Amino acid sequence: MSELLIGSVAYDPKVVTIWEGFRAYLRAVDGPAIDYLLYSNYERQVDDLLSGHIDLAWNSSLAWVRAERAARAAGTEVLPVFMRDTDRDLRSAVVVRADSELTDVTDLRGRRIAVGAVDSPQSTLLPLSYLRSVGVEPGVDVEVVRIDVGVGLHGDHVGGERDAIVALRDGTVDAACVLDANLLMFAREGTVASGALRVLGQTPSFDHCMMTAGPGVDATALAQLTEAFLAMSYADAQVRPLLDLEGLTAWLPGRTDGFGPLQRAVDESGFYDEQGRVRARDYRP
């Protein structure tokens, strides 16, 4: 059986620790042999997945959308494999200062709103789609202040979101868009005082990252890998530190029905076309 090569975007130094740990775990449970290849951006990772240079990719939600579209256009397919429990049913929030006079997202007309990087699903694409759904057109009814930190990482680097919150805290914008879980983190770390912000509105729920299998992957090795990951237990002292680093308590089977909101946001913004080609202006991973 051949070794599986897995792609992962190196958004943080801990990525190496995580994958070295997973390799050790798989050896201990007599799982399939794996190696990993680190990428600086998701676009290159998706290209290599579709070309067969790697067997699997730990994809962002936006990378899944591109991979699925590009594979379909090429007459092949990519497969959802597994995802974190914390990747399911997420929401992003449009927040204002607690003392703001704004009471509804439609009150943002004529105001300034800070978002994350151009390729951030949770801080840019999905919140701006939400605004459109309530009749507030980004760039027309509201001025969008985009903070392009970590472009190419599809929002994995939360620097853009953090900077958006700082801009809101300092009063240079009227609202900001963040993943609601990150909003809690920013309060814990002291970026903004607890209770200083108020949620004005929330996006529909959506799913996030997913392990994706490329065309031609060894089916037996893939089944063994999936079984080994789904069997990881948070009660296992060897595995728990890795799961903590990766931000989950359990691996779950991959699903695709949670990507509908992002598919719509991608179409509305023109980020990718139906063939998965990048069409977003000013996008330079």
Side-chain angles (χ1 to χ4, degrees), residues 13 36 42 46-47 57 67 71-72 80 84 94 108 111 116 124 188 201 228 239 250 255 263 269-270 281 284-285:
Y36 59 93
Y42 279 105
V46 169
D47 289 342
R72 185 174 65 248
R84 302 173 296 189
V94 179
L108 287 168
R111 305 296 183 113
T124 304
R188 287 196 303 268
V239 173
R255 67 181 190 183
Q263 295 277 12
S269 65
R281 292 177 295 177
R284 299 291 183 273

Side-chain angles (χ1 to χ4, degrees), residues 40-44 117-119 146 148-154 271 278-285:
S40 64
N41 67 82
Y42 279 105
E43 310 310 329
R44 177 60 62 85
V118 61
D119 59 338
R146 202 178 73 210
D148 280 330
V149 175
V151 175
L153 302 180
H154 292 189
F271 196 93
V278 178
R279 297 304 190 204
R281 292 177 295 177
D282 303 325
Y283 180 41
R284 299 291 183 273

Side-chain angles (χ1 to χ4, degrees), residues 214-283:
V217 65
D218 185 287
T220 300
L222 178 61
Q224 291 183 346
L225 180 76
T226 303
E227 181 181 8
F229 268 74
L230 295 181
M232 288 185 190
S233 171
Y234 197 71
D236 184 336
Q238 177 189 0
V239 173
R240 189 184 308 120
L242 298 174
L243 300 185
D244 285 339
L245 283 174
E246 190 58 53
L248 72 149
T249 59
W251 294 101
L252 299 176
R255 67 181 190 183
T256 60
D257 54 357
F259 293 98
L262 184 56
Q263 295 277 12
R264 289 191 295 273
V266 166
D267 288 336
E268 291 169 3
S269 65
F271 196 93
Y272 298 133
D273 64 16
E274 281 299 316
Q275 287 73 47
R277 294 173 294 203
V278 178
R279 297 304 190 204
R281 292 177 295 177
D282 303 325
Y283 180 41

Side-chain angles (χ1 to χ4, degrees), residues 52-227:
H53 186 64
I54 56 177
D55 300 297
L56 299 105
W58 183 226
N59 271 339
S60 72
S61 53
L62 188 60
W64 162 261
V65 168
R66 181 175 181 232
E68 189 274 332
R69 291 184 179 204
R72 185 174 65 248
T76 185
E77 65 177 347
V78 291
L79 301 174
V81 185
F82 50 79
M83 63 201 315
R84 302 173 296 189
D85 56 346
T86 49
D87 280 320
R88 292 187 172 192
D89 301 316
L90 306 179
R91 289 181 184 271
S92 290
V94 179
V95 298
V96 296
R97 290 165 56 125
D99 60 359
S100 172
E101 64 183 1
L102 306 181
T103 60
D104 188 85
V105 287
T106 57
D107 295 335
L108 287 168
R109 293 188 179 94
R111 305 296 183 113
R112 306 179 82 227
I113 186 169
V115 301
V118 61
D119 59 338
S120 173
Q122 67 265 20
S123 185
T124 304
L125 295 170
L126 286 160
L128 294 184
S129 177
Y130 166 62
L131 290 183
R132 293 186 193 99
S133 74
V134 297
V136 179
E137 183 63 33
V140 178
D141 299 318
V142 61
E143 179 184 352
V144 176
V145 179
R146 202 178 73 210
I147 302 175
D148 280 330
V149 175
V151 175
L153 302 180
H154 292 189
D156 286 355
H157 189 294
V158 300
E161 289 180 64
R162 184 177 287 105
D163 289 350
I165 288 297
V166 169
L168 176 59
R169 180 197 69 192
D170 295 346
T172 60
V173 296
D174 301 292
C177 300
V178 294
L179 187 67
D180 57 3
N182 287 340
L183 183 61
L184 297 174
M185 178 185 70
F186 296 148
R188 287 196 303 268
E189 71 185 17
T191 298
V192 63
S194 180
L197 302 180
R198 173 166 49 85
V199 174
L200 200 62
Q202 286 186 308
T203 68
S205 63
F206 58 89
D207 287 355
H208 208 265
C209 302
M210 183 162 63
M211 184 65 77
T212 307
V217 65
D218 185 287
T220 300
L222 178 61
Q224 291 183 346
L225 180 76
T226 303
E227 181 181 8

